[in-house]
Amino acid sequence: MKPPRFDYVAAGTVAEAVAALADAEDARVLAGGQSLVPLMNLRLARPSLLVDVNGVAALSGFEVRNGTLRFGAMCRHRFLETDPDVRERAPIVAETAGLIGHVHIRNRGTLGGSIAHADPVAELPALLVALGGQVVASSTAGERTIPAAELFEGPFTTSLEPSELLSAVEIPAHRQGDGGAFSEFVLRHGDFATAGVAVILHRDGSGTCDALRVAGCGLGPTPVDLSAAGEFLLGESALGSGAAEELGSRVAAAAEPTGDVHGSAKYRRELAAVLAADAVRRAWARAGSSDWSGRG
Amino acid sequence: MTGVRFSLNGEAAEVDVEPRELLLDTLRDRLAMTGTHAACEQGACGACTVLIDGNGVRSCLMFTVQVGGSEVRTIEGVGSPGSLHPIQQALSEHHGLQCGFCTPGIVLTALELFETDPHPSRQQIVEWMSGNLCRCTGYINIISALEALAGTAEARS
Amino acid sequence: MTAVAPPQAPPEPTTGVRRREDTRFLCGQGEYLGDVQRPDLKHIAILRSPLAHARIRDVDVSGALTLPGVIGAFTGAELAADTGTFSHHLEAIPTLRQLTWSVLATDKVRFVGEPVAAVVADSRYIAEDALELIEVDYEELPAVNDAEAALQADAPQLYEDWGDNVFLYIPGAHGDTEAAFEAADGVLTERFTHHRIIGLPMEGHGAMGEFDPATGRLEMYVSTQIPHQLRTVVSEITGLSETKIRIVAPDMGGGFGNKIHMFREEVLVAVLAMRVRHPVVWRQDRTESLTASVHSRQQTHKVEVAYRNDGRVLGLRADIIADVGSPELYILGSGPAIVTTAIIPNCYDLQDYAFELRCVATNKAHMGGYRGYGQGQAVFLIERVLDLLGEKLGIDPVTMRRVNMIPDGQRPYITATGAVLDCGSFHDQLTDLLEAADYDGACRERDEAREEDRLVGVGLAQMVEATAPNIHALAGQFGGYEMAMLAVQPDGKVTVVVGTKSQGQSHETVFAKVAADELGISPDDVTVSDGDTGVLPYGTGTWGSRSAVMGGGAIIKAARQVREKMVAIAAGLLDAPADQITVSDGFFRLGEAAIPFAQIAAAAYLHTFLLPPGMDPGLSVIVGYDSFSTSPFPDERGKLNVSPTYATAAAAAVVEVDRATGVVSVKDLTILHDCGTVMDRVVLDGQIHGAVMQAVGQTFLEELHYDENGQPLTTTLLDYTIPTFGDVVEPKIVHRETPSDLIGGYRGAGEGAIIVTPVALAAAVHDALKPLGVPITQANLSPPRLRDLLRGHSAA
């Protein structure tokens, strides 16, 4: 189980990286490598060139810009999980990053890498959809932004061009009244989710829900936007009896999972119902709490 | 072939490798660090864990060309037969190893844990260690060893 | 048989290094197969079939040979021309299809992963590059991936000349089942299923071979549980004499039965080492391990049970279908299924028992050994039958067991299939279990939980294990004895070599103590090694819970012989009769007089003028040890006692089922364990921990999947999910010690917990689901599988 031959470029800047991508056929970006390298070891991925962006300092860190949080693509999961600033400003990101794999996967794996890999069972792509975020794609032609809704085209397939580097991820900044939760079912601690549901909602000063988004992983060929299932909660000031279960039923009905060795489509639908109910309960409570820090 | 220089257990190492060569293979076959074990080569078992600049990684998912300038620490750099590290000592005392194949990865993963937090709870131990598979011990005595260490002794290197 | 010792409190951990093995393992200085280096070592990669069933029209390796760094590339046909073949060595079984096969497939492939061609190259990287340049022309054939489908008349046939896919058929009829069914108050009919899993040692298989043309010697390092028998097979296939072959099994990263067979790849390494004249190594990777080593457990049982209304089982008929995949595996991969048929009566007085076993070939990887070796399926059957029958009759599980248990005092008890049980009281063992588990309290808590609409259940199970078996009936040429060498060296230190190869079982530590105790010296003065055919003439390996019983017995036997000679020397020096000499603490004593152990050793080798007149110098023996109480083959009535002694265990489990997700939480697990004399309590408990965890994996986490075309779907450890830290179930372990009559009093350990735990868990899940009326008749209780069962029950 050894990878086939490839050429290797260690980029020092975004410009170097996108130049290398532009020049080669079948080039792939090497970020954390936690998904790409196993596929290469199995010879299921065989890029001719790897463009290593681990040395590109500009792809690290995050900043607040015009009401959005902009994360460098090379933010590692472990950074997202533990950085106090991220935990305060984007608690749902920190919490979700902590769900990914094991600590040594999180030490290497990156936000941009996970999203660009577009594994339908991965957490961060689903979270990006739930947050209504977008990614920044860089190439020799410049930058463009791609909303999450237009990014994911199929299993392991995005609308990024081969010559583009996913350089940043942008999500709306956390506001007072925001609440979010990511609930997932894993067979063992650290596994990919059999299914997962993210609920992101906002309650106004009077506690009324005025925004609610739902997305899932393991529930379709891509991270799926299931927000329509939650529209019935808009305008509600309390999560009434049976409301969480109702959301669960609607999410399960809207999901389009397929079966694999980890669970049948039916099983994933059942999980979706349980997970959506759990996520909305937690998100709702957090939105009503004044100091949700991602730990609650 | 690419020349790569890095620090290996505190000593300078230099190898000439193809870009595709996995750090796991460089350590084992070129540098005789055979305590780093190949068990899955899919990033799923933790037997090949090494520390790079203090962070645990799976050496089967790193290319050697990526570690230029880094400090790489393997099991050979943790303790020696005459001077076991407290983690190694605790694993032996609690019979936290049987065939020993996963043990180097267990030791290195625990080392990073105790360097992050010298007094982890049982739950923290379980979550932190859960990427390291063992087929012999049922994990019980590994957890006991690490709990004992967390409660009674600093496990600083 | 002597008195039963009371359960002991667990010992306090001692300080210092617990085991001899620990220091090198902890420091990364073990020498596992992959660590064996040679200058100029070349690497083997194997091209494997991508199809489940196909005829090989042509294999062209010429492309591979053009790649720089490639030493050689070989087809099956080329190697077969001057290489011998494998067989099962079971010509005596008329209902077994006689097969021969080569180190690589020649005419047909029958599962995805079957070896087709091999490359030797400077590195594994280049070798794998070269595999991509080999062209194979396959004629794809329809595949069959399920045993019951393979029994249909129109099923694709793996071997056209058979006419069907039944590789092995064994019927058995013991007692008078017809009379039992006629006398019955009723008949219970059930169907049980066992899914396909794999033992999966963390270290995969592998072999290194080096051939010296000048001496004609072949040296191999192989990660195998059975180095001596492998040498015999390498000799058969290469034509080299066993005097010219040395096989070393180095440190091993687990075995669990996955390494008790002679693999094609291992012999291929020998063949290629002789051809390319470089040392060569094949290191199995994890995908090869998951798709092309051996799988285990997959069986389907249909059972009819004749019962009386008081719960007594009068007779039982079992129709057993084992899905053995490709049968081209030696030692016979159908062995576990044969053992299943023998163990079904378990610890119950069931003499009227009949079965039919069909081992069915399918287009999947070989079925073969894994800890438990078919006994778990047998125990699952009878223990589930007792619970299901009890439920039908309104009789509780404890009473059901007591009504059917082999009575106390009747020892040895000969079972329907001929097993000569030497066990202690099953009634007392069950009593101890119920007390240790607080069974009544657990049942009360279950009842309270039910009031709260929680799905809590309690389950019981018992088992008898045939340990240290004689396997002539499964292997033809290999039995069940053991050998050991013991030498007291001139400095008084002791060398022990034993034929039971450790794969993590702490033999260097525990066998040192065994020898030291016999010799009256400190274990620190004893060095134990194993796994080297160059040192000990033969050995039978480590499997079947046999190492303590047979390896330990052989070491004690050897130590006693050497001690006897040392006593004779001491008697001469002290001028006293030998029977007045005692041995303790490193001295041979007569009253106040004491001669140090080392001084006797020196006399034997150095100061030989001190030896009694006519005594040969030296203090070493090589012993063979057989219990003489087993039979190689069944008698004319089909009865066979395979084991010199039998271990027992029982388990009680408490679980809670989450009906929404199908997740089962094990709240409590008690293991009552009787392996006779306990060698080392900490090591023993460690093995029980591991076996329990594997049982948990088997029940809740692990399953090998194939699609309808025979493509394996579980090819990585992300898809084949063995337990990790978060899945820990910590059993309460209680030991009864009923010594056997064998040397040392051992009964064998290591497998009991994996045999008895799965059905205890299944019984507990069944009990938890009782309010919903969802019966458990399958071994696979993973969350998705359990949801499959719950779905459709309105209350679920």
Side-chain angles (χ1 to χ4, degrees), chain C residues 519-539:
Chain C
L519 295 170
I521 58 175
S522 162
D524 293 343
D525 291 334
V526 182
T527 300
V528 177
S529 67
D530 59 21
D532 186 344
T533 69
V535 183
L536 193 68
Y538 221 75

Side-chain angles (χ1 to χ4, degrees), chain A residues 118-206:
Chain A
D119 189 331
V121 299
E123 291 91 348
L124 291 175
L127 181 66
L128 186 72
V129 170
L131 289 167
Q134 58 190 16
V135 301
V136 178
S138 299
S139 69
T140 51
E143 282 190 358
R144 65 173 179 134
T145 58
I146 309 173
E150 296 166 20
L151 180 62
F152 300 106
E153 297 186 329
F156 307 101
T157 308
T158 67
S159 54
L160 287 163
E161 296 296 328
S163 59
E164 286 181 318
L165 168 70
L166 194 167
S167 55
V169 176
E170 296 181 343
I171 61 169
H174 186 63
R175 301 172 292 163
Q176 179 66 35
D178 274 348
F182 198 110
S183 298
E184 65 175 15
F185 179 85
V186 290
L187 186 61
R188 302 173 302 172
H189 181 81
D191 278 348
F192 277 107
T194 307
V197 175
V199 172
I200 306 293
L201 57 85
H202 183 263
R203 292 168 69 190
D204 66 18
S206 66

Side-chain angles (χ1 to χ4, degrees), chain C residues 706-718:
Chain C
Y706 279 86
D707 75 6
E708 62 278 10
N709 298 316
Q711 288 293 328
L713 302 176
T714 29
T715 60
T716 75
L717 290 183
L718 296 173

